[in-house]
Amino acid sequence: MDQFISLVLVSGKAGLDMALYILLPMMVIMLAIMKLLDAKGVLSWLCDKIAPVTRLFGIPGLGVFAALKITFVSFAAPIATLSLMDKNGTNERHLAATIAMVLTMSQANAAFPLAAVGLNVGILIATSFVGGLAAAAVTYYLFTKSWDSREVTDEDNTAPAHYEGKKSVLQILSDGGQEGMRLALGMIPMLIIAIFFVNLLKALHVIDYLAPLLAPALSLIHLPEASVLPLVTKFIAGGTAYVGITIDLVKQGAISVTELNRMAGFATNPLDIAGIAIFAAAGTRINKVMRVAIYGGLIGMLLRGVLHLIIF
């Protein structure tokens, strides 16, 4: 019982430190900036300009908005956009392609905190968009080619700014910062639970058994045995828990900056048990197309992973 209580306390402290000193400032600043760009119409203008190109990959205008949200806000930010697409009649081919893209792309709540310990965010975002477009195209033209292909109509519009009336820049930044704070604080319970689960696996020596089994495969892509823990954490507990474990290992010297960047192509995305469950719950039709979207997301993730192995 003493060991259990100790694990709880250690996990709680680690989760709070991560949320308050890394996630919170990152989320507040990034969401404040995104809210300002949204309120001033910059995001809508950008989506309108990009949509004719992304439509070739099966991604409608709202899909572009979802891509920007996951890249610069958090993995949870596109949920509202996906829910809107689910409800407003976006055909299922476009819906599946958009979800595949989102599952492939880098989530801001993982990418930006890891930048503090050496992650190359510029390359990460570039490979994110390449992998996301590839995942969407494969899903749209291969996995769903026999589905209804009616043209997107009303739903092919970007989401408007959500501000009513006239607000000052400071008010908009404050609103965005408060939303970022709510997102960061809302992650604390899951973060603590995820870190506790990982610590429990370590205490039960499950990781010790997995490490030798996975080490040969990881050595082929020049990753150390220490990377087993963050990768297992990511695909079980999600990106937020992955960030906490990875930052700690980088600070300890168990994982180098180069190895961090090599892992990033495979790990900085919401394609995990937690992420899939959260997105699937966003709408009935989203849940219906999730299986094929996962197939597309896996292809996009593998492409991103290979690009990072080549670059780093």
Side-chain angles (χ1 to χ4, degrees):
M1 181 57 71
D2 289 343
Q3 187 176 8
F4 177 83
I5 297 300
S6 176
L7 285 176
V8 171
L9 294 177
V10 168
S11 302
K13 184 179 184 300
L16 286 172
D17 286 346
M18 169 60 60
L20 295 179
Y21 300 113
I22 296 180
L23 289 179
L24 182 59
M26 285 289 183
M27 297 303 293
V28 166
I29 296 300
M30 292 307 300
L31 199 52
I33 293 171
M34 287 295 288
K35 283 289 185 183
L36 181 61
L37 294 176
D38 188 12
K40 298 302 181 181
V42 175
L43 291 184
S44 295
W45 175 84
L46 182 61
C47 290
D48 286 338
K49 296 298 182 183
I50 297 175
V53 176
T54 60
R55 199 176 290 114
L56 299 174
F57 297 87
I59 304 167
L62 280 174
V64 178
F65 202 72
L68 293 175
K69 285 294 187 81
I70 192 170
T71 303
F72 297 106
V73 182
S74 79
F75 83 96
I79 292 176
T81 303
L82 294 175
S83 180
L84 177 61
M85 294 174 69
D86 176 78
K87 294 174 182 177
N88 71 0
T90 300
N91 74 55
E92 292 180 353
R93 288 187 72 189
H94 288 93
L95 188 59
T98 301
I99 296 170
M101 173 192 67
V102 170
L103 289 175
T104 301
M105 297 186 70
S106 292
Q107 52 197 77
N109 57 294
F112 292 109
L114 287 172
V117 291
L119 182 66
N120 190 319
V121 175
I123 291 178
L124 186 77
I125 291 176
T127 62
S128 174
F129 278 97
V130 170
L133 291 175
V138 169
T139 303
Y140 187 77
Y141 290 107
L142 180 61
F143 298 139
T144 65
K145 63 180 179 180
S146 62
W147 293 13
D148 182 7
S149 58
R150 286 177 297 176
E151 290 294 325
V152 177
T153 53
D154 293 340
E155 75 279 10
D156 197 23
N157 295 310
T158 55
H162 299 294
Y163 293 96
E164 298 180 0
K166 190 174 182 180
K167 287 191 175 184
S168 68
V169 171
L170 287 178
Q171 287 175 314
I172 295 170
L173 290 173
S174 177
D175 288 347
Q178 290 179 32
E179 187 172 338
M181 179 177 291
R182 286 193 295 271
L183 280 172
L185 295 179
M187 293 176 186
I188 292 177
M190 182 55 69
L191 182 59
I192 292 175
I193 291 171
I195 292 176
F196 169 76
F197 181 69
V198 172
N199 286 336
L200 184 62
L201 290 179
K202 291 169 66 177
L204 295 175
H205 303 292
V206 174
I207 301 299
D208 293 337
Y209 293 126
L210 285 175
L213 296 176
L214 298 177
L218 292 174
S219 66
L220 294 176
I221 54 177
H222 304 287
L223 288 179
E225 190 172 301
S227 62
V228 171
L229 176 59
L231 289 175
V232 170
T233 301
K234 182 265 181 297
F235 289 107
I236 293 177
T240 303
Y242 163 77
V243 169
I245 300 299
T246 303
I247 288 178
D248 189 43
L249 289 173
V250 173
K251 288 181 177 179
Q252 292 175 13
I255 294 177
S256 69
V257 172
T258 299
E259 291 162 348
L260 168 67
N261 281 283
R262 293 175 74 86
M263 274 199 306
F266 297 101
T268 53
N269 57 66
L271 188 55
D272 48 57
I273 295 174
I276 290 170
I278 291 171
F279 284 125
T284 303
R285 295 196 305 131
I286 290 176
N287 186 48
K288 181 180 177 181
V289 304
M290 182 58 73
R291 180 173 57 85
V292 293
I294 290 172
Y295 296 155
L298 287 171
I299 291 175
M301 181 186 71
L302 289 174
L303 174 60
R304 287 190 62 202
V306 170
L307 288 174
H308 275 254
L309 294 179
I310 293 172
I311 295 170
F312 297 102

